[in-house]
Amino acid sequence: MKINWRSIPWAKNSFAALSAACELSDITLHEVSSPENDITCYSLNSVNEPPHFRDEISDAECITIVGGPHPTACWEEVRQYADYVVIGEGGEYTMPALINMIASGSQILPAGVASKEQVVMPNHSVLLSSYPPFSVVKGGYTEISRGCPFGCGYCQTPRLCGRHMHHRRIDDIERATRVFRDVRFVTPNALAYGSDGIHLRLDKVEQLFKSLTGRRIFFGTFPSEVRPECISDASLHLIESYCANRKVHFGAQSGSNHVLQMLRRGHTAEDVMTAYDCCRDHGLTPIVDYIVGLPYESDDEQRLSVTQMKEISRGGGIVHVHHFTPLPGGTPLAGGTSARSILPDVQRELGRLAQSGKATGSWIDAEVRFFKEHEDQLS
């Protein structure tokens, strides 16, 4: 039986991780550009799912297995056109178990799988160090943490991976990254490594850095962004001392305290500016994320975000801006909310920032958020 993986550029890390997990069960995933017999697997998010892949999967003349953030959130919908849906974060365990079930002819679904006839909800999470982050297939990034204790209204992470942070062991990270000269990480909050996500353990972060001697470490930059309240003299001193990046990427999302409170962000607009000032004091360029068009923001609050963006850009920072996209998956902003229009004067100001090289992202086409490579944020 041939097991295929549908090649999708923005799912390379998923391919690397699941390929490595399948190898532990003597299953090889073959990368393909269209569905092929016997089984073809997909990883989809909420932007790339409709309509192209939905139609492709529905018309496929093979068994289809679909996982990822969108199928987890909308499994009842996805199982109408896919044969099997993997639900939740446990793909490393669930996908090999499902493939073995299909190969054996059994009808007993493993936990975390839905078919057209039945569903068995997930009852497990992944112990990261039980699985290699990659093997023959390399994703380019090493996942070191999952989960997030914060419940930001727009974010799927705590709904997909839980609110309890879990981490890959330092010795496993060191062993896995020996194949790289430049080491980059995937994590919801890089500076929370080794901690519960709220009470930082910078001693664990330093132990991680020390284990990677001889390699160029990129930490706190895409795709291992940090939260603004985690930025301090102590945390930036570690990045200065051990890391190659001279940029630090963190999320503001709004310049309005009212909007931040409604989003359940867990920090203030003042925290953002404190983090910005701290980065400048350490000679590091801050890259700061914003979302415009949030359903909670008034016209004045949308302009307040732009005012903060301009202040950051004047001091040498870069802002990364996107138009709000409601995501399914139990996110509080998923049901019945829609993006507000971006004010004409805000559009003009963002355009000026972009022309001067001080703003990146997309506040017009939401798909750019998922499809465009973030090369400008990697160093």
Side-chain angles (χ1 to χ4, degrees), residues 155-172:
C155 184
Q156 288 177 313
T157 296
R159 285 91 196 176
L160 180 66
C161 300
R163 296 183 72 159
H164 174 71
M165 287 199 78
H166 38 298
H167 310 278
R168 196 180 299 277
R169 290 194 303 259
I170 288 175
D171 56 343
D172 292 321

Side-chain angles (χ1 to χ4, degrees), residues 47 49 153 206:
V47 173
E49 184 265 346
E206 186 167 22

Side-chain angles (χ1 to χ4, degrees), residues 340-358:
R340 293 189 70 238
S341 298
I342 302 177
L343 301 169
D345 56 307
V346 169
Q347 288 267 25
R348 288 192 295 271
E349 291 294 345
L350 293 176
R352 292 189 187 103
L353 289 173
Q355 286 181 334
S356 65
K358 297 296 185 181

Side-chain angles (χ1 to χ4, degrees), residues 252-256 259-260 263 269 272 290-291 294 297 301 305 308:
Q253 314 313 351
S254 175
S256 160
V259 173
L260 291 173
L263 288 176
V272 172
Y290 286 89
I291 303 172
L294 287 159
E297 69 183 9
E301 286 169 332
S305 288
Q308 191 177 73

